[in-house]
Amino acid sequence: MADKRAIETPFYLCKEKLLERNLKILDDIQNRSGAKIILALKGFAMWSTFALVSKYLKGCTASGVYEARLAREEFSRYNRDAEVHTYSPAFKENEIEEISKLSNHIVFNSINQINKFLLKAKEYNPNIHTSLRINPEVSASPKDIYNPCGLYSRLGTTLANIDESALNSLDGLNFHALCEQNVEALEEVLKVFEKNFSKYFKNLKYINFGGGHHITKKGYDIEKLICIIKEFRLKYQIDVYLEPGEAVGWETGYLESTVLDVFENGMPVAILDTSAEAHMPDTLAMPYRADVRGAGRSGEKKYTYRLGGNTCLAGDIMGDYSFDKPLKIGDRVIFEDQIHYTFVKNTTFNGIKLPSLVVERVDGSLEVVKEFGYKEYRDRLS
Ligand SMILES: *Cc1c(COP(=O)(O)O)cnc(C)c1O
């Protein structure tokens, strides 16, 4: 299919050319720093692009058995050496066999979980690598909801809870302390992490620096990141992993919708066939304002509208945006940069139709890779 106008809205459109641009930046970092970079599926799991992604990244990081299976089935099919790393705040007894068999690396969250599952994991998969997620207790994460090192955090083991004998059987340590941050934030975390935990490095093969590195955003100091990783590897003679999600999907496409109605209630209001609540959840959770193509801030251009979704939630509002021309029913409205943390989080709240997934292949052709209908709504309920 070549004509975007013929595709029914709403849909997410991911451009492989933009994705490849990000992947090449990440690959350059791998080549020059010696780190391995794996994709955090939690942020971007459009597996119809994995033929491309797997050319550059070394594998995936999974948050549980379903993501691990997706990595094994849909990523490894293009790259037999792809690594599957699986971390969960707590593994369940009835999943540990499948997770161990699907994974090359298993990352535990606590000493309890190591004591409970490490030997089992090795029994099910004698080649599995094991790691513990550390909570370095430093983070400059901009929002509490995204701060893994916040007060009373359940994510990772703190220094006070380290049990040295449990560490002896591990191959690595993980930390994940950042969210949309530049390299200076990583430096801060590393300073404390090294001070408190480097004494445990001697028998380890790797340290995983987690995600939240905003590497593909304009202005990220890639040279400094490379420098830091190289120094770290040299100093401790140890491998380094990064596992970004957002940086992979960053600015690789958009969410396209149609104006269904326009009316006045103190100000002009437009209703779209998409939803902030169901289809752009981080805009409400973080919250942040998505850019709309061709639009400005409220009052910046001649015609301002409050853009809202097509659910019954009063707060299902994308924000106030201004346009050069009045919005008309049937106009398309495009929300920029809606590929990471969107369709992986979508819900069928209100029975609203899930946006289709469209890929613009490297050769420019458009492919509707997934459409959703009533069936997907019904089958999640009973
Ligand atoms: C979410 C998460 C990531 C990816 O984070 P991004 O901000 O998308 O780069 C990596 N590792 C862990 C453990 C995570 O929870």
Side-chain angles (χ1 to χ4, degrees):
M1 193 180 305
D3 182 11
K4 197 173 71 131
R5 294 294 302 189
I7 303 174
E8 195 194 330
T9 58
F11 58 83
Y12 299 98
L13 191 150
C14 175
K15 297 191 172 199
E16 283 194 335
K17 270 201 181 129
L18 299 177
L19 183 60
E20 191 165 33
R21 173 194 162 272
N22 289 349
L23 294 167
K24 283 186 166 155
I25 292 172
L26 296 169
D27 196 30
D28 174 54
I29 292 169
Q30 294 189 115
N31 292 334
R32 291 199 285 141
S33 73
K36 286 187 182 179
I37 303 185
I38 56 180
L39 164 66
L41 289 175
K42 162 174 135 248
F44 176 80
M46 190 182 246
W47 48 270
S48 55
T49 66
F50 283 1
L52 181 69
V53 179
S54 61
K55 282 206 251 172
Y56 298 98
L57 302 188
K58 305 287 184 235
C60 298
T61 193
S63 322
V65 66
Y66 292 167
E67 286 188 357
R69 185 168 162 192
L70 191 77
R72 188 52 76 210
E73 291 183 1
E74 303 301 335
F75 198 99
S76 300
R77 76 162 73 215
Y78 304 106
N79 175 0
R80 284 174 175 280
D81 298 325
E83 297 179 13
V84 179
H85 296 227
T86 308
Y87 157 80
S88 190
F91 294 109
K92 291 175 80 169
E93 199 82 53
N94 63 0
E95 296 172 339
I96 199 70
E97 177 175 357
E98 193 179 354
I99 284 177
S100 304
K101 288 177 176 168
L102 288 167
S103 308
N104 305 90
H105 297 245
I106 187 165
V107 185
F108 299 102
N109 190 57
S110 69
I111 303 292
N112 278 343
Q113 286 264 306
I114 288 183
N115 291 338
K116 191 156 181 212
F117 290 126
L118 187 132
L119 287 179
K120 277 192 187 154
K122 289 193 169 176
E123 203 177 293
Y124 292 126
N125 177 359
N127 297 319
I128 203 162
H129 295 92
T130 58
S131 178
L132 174 68
R133 176 168 173 173
I134 296 296
N135 174 356
E137 297 176 82
V138 256
S139 171
S141 182
K143 303 277 173 185
D144 277 349
I145 186 178
Y146 297 116
N147 186 355
C149 306
L151 194 60
Y152 314 128
S153 173
R154 72 189 190 290
L155 303 170
T157 299
T158 55
L159 183 62
N161 286 317
I162 288 289
D163 167 352
E164 271 193 62
S165 61
L167 291 190
N168 288 335
S169 47
L170 297 178
D171 302 296
L173 291 177
N174 284 45
F175 66 80
H176 169 69
L178 305 178
C179 176
E180 297 192 336
Q181 280 163 305
N182 210 321
V183 70
E184 288 73 26
L186 173 65
E187 268 187 310
E188 290 302 308
V189 174
L190 267 182
K191 234 187 268 165
V192 178
F193 177 72
E194 286 185 59
K195 178 164 92 49
N196 290 338
F197 298 96
S198 58
K199 56 180 172 288
Y200 304 124
F201 289 180
K202 51 187 173 303
N203 297 317
L204 299 181
K205 298 188 184 73
Y206 64 89
I207 304 293
N208 184 322
F209 290 3
H213 317 278
H214 224 168
I215 293 167
T216 50
K217 186 183 180 182
K218 266 191 211 81
Y220 186 95
D221 194 342
I222 289 172
E223 297 308 317
K224 192 159 180 184
L225 176 68
I226 290 172
C227 222
I228 287 173
I229 295 170
K230 277 170 76 173
E231 265 179 36
F232 190 94
R233 291 181 58 237
L234 198 68
K235 184 164 167 194
Y236 300 107
Q237 295 295 312
I238 204 164
D239 287 341
V240 168
Y241 284 93
L242 304 181
E243 47 180 30
E246 179 154 353
V248 177
W250 180 251
E251 290 185 340
T252 57
Y254 51 81
L255 171 60
E256 184 156 332
S257 63
T258 298
V259 177
L260 300 179
D261 201 7
V262 181
F263 55 81
E264 278 276 331
N265 181 19
M267 73 176 288
V269 175
I271 297 182
L272 309 176
D273 65 350
T274 184
S275 162
E277 167 73 11
H279 305 154
M280 309 160 70
D282 279 356
T283 62
L284 298 181
M286 196 150 195
Y288 78 95
R289 178 186 159 100
D291 283 338
V292 168
R293 189 168 301 180
R297 307 213 142 257
S298 177
E300 192 179 325
K301 295 178 183 244
K302 195 163 173 200
Y303 302 96
T304 294
Y305 294 83
R306 174 153 298 180
L307 300 183
N310 199 18
T311 74
C312 299
L313 174 73
D316 192 354
I317 291 164
M318 291 83 173
D320 297 348
Y321 293 86
S322 63
F323 298 83
D324 290 324
K325 285 191 277 186
L327 278 185
K328 299 184 311 295
I329 292 169
D331 282 353
R332 298 242 173 149
V333 171
I334 292 176
F335 294 91
E336 302 285 9
D337 194 24
Q338 291 301 309
I339 299 301
H340 51 87
Y341 291 101
T342 50
F343 41 81
V344 289
K345 294 181 95 176
N346 280 0
T347 73
T348 53
F349 176 59
N350 253 221
I352 189 174
K353 183 175 149 50
L354 288 166
S356 303
L357 303 180
V358 182
V359 177
E360 187 186 284
R361 297 295 180 195
V362 173
D363 68 6
S365 62
L366 286 180
E367 201 179 314
V368 180
V369 291
K370 188 84 180 173
E371 286 178 285
F372 301 92
Y374 168 66
K375 195 173 173 306
E376 284 71 29
Y377 168 64
R378 183 199 60 194
D379 287 355
R380 293 183 51 191
L381 302 166
S382 174

